[in-house]
Amino acid sequence: MGLTKSEIFSDTQNEIATLAKAFAHPARVAILHHLFKANTCICGDLVEEIGLAQATISQHLRELKNLNLIQGNIEGTSVYYCINQEKWSKMKSVISEFLDQDINMNCC
C-alpha cells in the first residue's frame, strides 16, 4: 500500500498545515476573536455575535476543538468555551518560526 500524502512531509510541515485550518474560514477567525475579547462565552453568544446559524457555529467550534485551540466546560445546559492557552502558545511559536524565515535568494 502506498504512503498517505501527509507521510511524505515533515512533522513540522504537517503541524503547520493542520494549525492553518484554524484560519481557513473567516467564521473560525471571528470565533477566535470573540473568545479573546470575551475571555469566555457560551455558544449562543457566538450565534448572536457572528450572525451564523447555531449548526454552523457548532461545526466551526468542533473544528477548533479538534485542533485543540479551544476547550469547553459544561455547566448545566450551556457549554463555555475559551482559548487553550498552551496550544495557542505552541501554535504561535511554530508559525512564527516558519514565518520568520528570511529569503536568501534573488529571484525574478
Side-chain angles (χ1 to χ4, degrees):
M1 181 174 273
L3 295 173
T4 62
K5 291 181 182 180
S6 62
E7 290 177 345
I8 65 172
F9 301 106
S10 73
D11 290 343
T12 301
Q13 291 166 336
N14 279 301
E15 184 176 16
I16 291 168
T18 299
L19 293 171
K21 287 181 180 181
F23 307 110
H25 196 286
R28 288 194 285 274
V29 174
I31 289 169
L32 290 169
H33 269 150
H34 185 71
L35 291 175
F36 273 111
K37 184 173 66 174
N39 201 22
T40 190
C41 70
I42 55 174
C43 190
D45 290 346
L46 290 169
V47 171
E48 292 173 23
E49 175 76 18
I50 297 171
L52 296 173
Q54 172 72 45
T56 303
I57 294 291
S58 292
Q59 286 177 328
H60 290 297
L61 286 169
R62 185 171 35 258
E63 184 66 37
L64 291 169
K65 204 166 181 186
N66 288 341
L67 294 169
N68 249 352
L69 289 175
I70 64 171
Q71 52 198 18
N73 295 320
I74 299 171
E75 293 183 21
T77 59
S78 299
V79 180
Y80 292 84
Y81 292 98
C82 63
I83 302 291
N84 180 337
Q85 294 176 7
E86 184 179 323
K87 184 67 174 189
W88 186 262
S89 294
K90 171 74 172 150
M91 181 186 73
K92 282 176 43 179
S93 174
V94 169
I95 291 178
S96 290
E97 185 177 321
F98 175 67
L99 294 176
D100 284 343
Q101 296 178 86
D102 291 323
I103 300 170
N104 294 321
M105 66 178 148
N106 292 326
C107 181
C108 303

